[in-house]
Amino acid sequence: MSSSTAAPGSSRLPDAGPISLCAREPHVPADRLVAEMVPPPRFDSVRFATYIPDPNQPSQTEAVGVLEGFAAGLGGAHASGAGRRGLFGFGRAKAKAPAGPRGVYLDGGYGVGKTHLLASLWHATPADPSRKAFGTFVELTNLVGALGFQQTVRTLSGHSLLCIDEFELDDPGDTVLVSTLLGKLVEAGVALAATSNTLPGKLGEGRFAAADFLREIQGLSAHFRALRIDGEDYRHRGLPEAPAPFSDEEVMKTAYATEGASLDDFPQLLEHLARVHPSRYGALTDGLRAVCLTGVQPVPDQSTALRLVVLADRLYDREVPVLASGLPFDKLFSEEMLKGGYRKKYFRAISRLTALARDAKGLIGA
């Protein structure tokens, strides 16, 4: 949907209309990618004290205690580039590699607060924000694509902590890349923390011949102490119920009435995402206060679906409501996709887009 299209019944000038994401082709300098590796706005204010463990799930309380100790043990990390302490308070010699895992790995189902805890760890770690990084697995691999491997190692080696949210391995190339990268960072004394729905030793299963890359996967697993966080898993709850879509006219009218809203035809937006590198999807949403989409329909293939997952993550991070016509968001992915190796990503995208669709209800008639 072009931004120059007049809304039905609207007397506003075409150039005063909503933004079109399809018209945006952002350029993102590499230094911005590094500077933006912080917890997303949704998690600006979270802390360990604001995490409320389920009294029926003692592993949640245990995880908070372990992570608080983890953060406290990082007090001297990279303060002078030498003489750092181990993750759990164990001292080590200046040139000696640490014994045992150099990180913690939070494993659990959707909705148990893993990202809340990971962001709380980032906030609690006593280091300047420029010396600790937080990003999704996809953002980390995108950083390597933007900077190159060696420059990424040099850039992150001076950090006290690297937090990786939504850790997943989708192909053999990523397996080797991330295994090598994290190994280099651990050698440099960088502490690691990650979240996932898959235990480290199981990463890659269902996506590619994981057995062929067992050495790399086992190498990744060796960097982490796994912490299981129990709780009700989204797979046991089924798909979240998505709000009923609005009409094209309602979506267009709201887009024109909402300052900072975008308006696009869903199939055209999917085509546009193929022309924009996923590392730029955050910049694609700069300044948006709402996303309005017409003609939502099932995604046609897996490559398109994975790009949509990344966009959904960026919109969710920035708390941008999404108003749409067409099919509800729980119909985006085929049954085959929801049973395949990327099912966790698709479930997450449905859940996040559904939450943003609920947020968008207040825009109607505003």
Side-chain angles (χ1 to χ4, degrees), residues 10-317:
S10 173
S11 61
R12 297 180 62 178
L13 295 173
D15 59 3
I19 301 160
S20 171
L21 295 180
C22 293
R24 287 185 164 186
E25 296 184 7
H27 170 70
V28 183
D31 57 352
R32 172 176 167 175
L33 292 178
V34 178
E36 290 185 344
M37 292 191 73
V38 298
R42 183 177 289 269
F43 297 97
D44 276 346
S45 61
V46 302
R47 299 294 186 271
F48 290 128
T50 65
Y51 180 80
I52 309 299
D54 184 340
N56 297 316
Q57 303 292 348
S59 62
Q60 295 184 11
T61 301
E62 178 186 0
V64 173
V66 170
L67 292 173
E68 286 178 331
F70 187 103
L74 293 174
H78 280 290
S80 62
R84 297 181 289 271
R85 294 173 60 81
L87 291 189
F88 298 99
F90 300 105
R92 67 184 179 89
K94 176 178 177 180
K96 185 179 180 181
R102 282 288 294 165
V104 290
Y105 192 102
L106 309 181
D107 176 71
Y110 176 82
V112 298
K114 300 186 303 297
T115 302
H116 182 137
L117 290 172
L118 189 68
S120 298
L121 172 65
W122 188 93
H123 288 298
T125 297
D128 187 272
S130 65
R131 309 302 288 273
K132 46 189 180 180
F134 184 110
T136 63
F137 180 83
V138 170
E139 288 173 316
L140 181 62
T141 56
N142 287 340
L143 183 68
V144 176
L147 299 183
F149 182 82
Q150 295 299 334
Q151 183 58 43
T152 302
V153 172
R154 286 192 292 268
T155 299
L156 296 180
S157 288
H159 283 56
S160 299
L161 174 68
L162 171 62
C163 295
I164 310 168
D165 200 18
E166 300 158 9
F167 201 119
E168 293 289 349
L169 298 179
D170 296 335
D171 59 53
D174 279 349
T175 303
V176 175
L177 173 70
V178 174
S179 177
T180 306
L181 174 63
L182 297 188
K184 295 286 188 183
L185 296 179
V186 167
E187 289 176 3
V190 180
L192 307 174
T195 71
S196 181
N197 303 114
T198 306
L199 286 169
K202 301 293 185 180
L203 288 167
E205 287 190 354
R207 295 165 179 77
F208 58 92
D212 294 340
F213 292 86
L214 186 60
R215 185 181 66 179
E216 284 80 8
I217 292 172
Q218 288 177 336
L220 280 170
S221 180
H223 296 315
F224 298 99
R225 169 188 173 179
L227 293 176
R228 175 68 188 180
I229 303 178
D230 297 309
E232 186 182 5
D233 192 292
Y234 75 91
R235 288 166 292 187
H236 301 157
R237 299 197 301 261
L239 287 171
E241 184 177 353
F246 294 92
S247 68
D248 284 354
E249 183 176 3
E250 287 174 311
V251 171
M252 294 176 66
K253 184 176 180 180
T254 301
Y256 276 81
T258 304
E259 183 180 357
S262 66
L263 176 61
D264 291 277
D265 175 69
F266 184 71
Q268 290 181 12
L269 177 60
L270 295 183
E271 292 179 5
H272 183 63
L273 292 180
R275 298 188 289 271
V276 179
H277 192 274
S279 66
R280 301 175 182 175
Y281 287 6
L284 191 69
T285 66
D286 279 353
L288 289 185
R289 297 183 61 183
V291 166
C292 297
L293 301 171
T294 57
V296 171
Q297 61 187 43
V299 293
D301 56 72
Q302 194 147 261
S303 295
T304 302
L306 290 172
R307 287 191 289 268
L308 181 60
V309 168
V310 177
L311 179 63
D313 287 342
R314 301 291 80 77
L315 292 173
Y316 183 80
D317 288 345

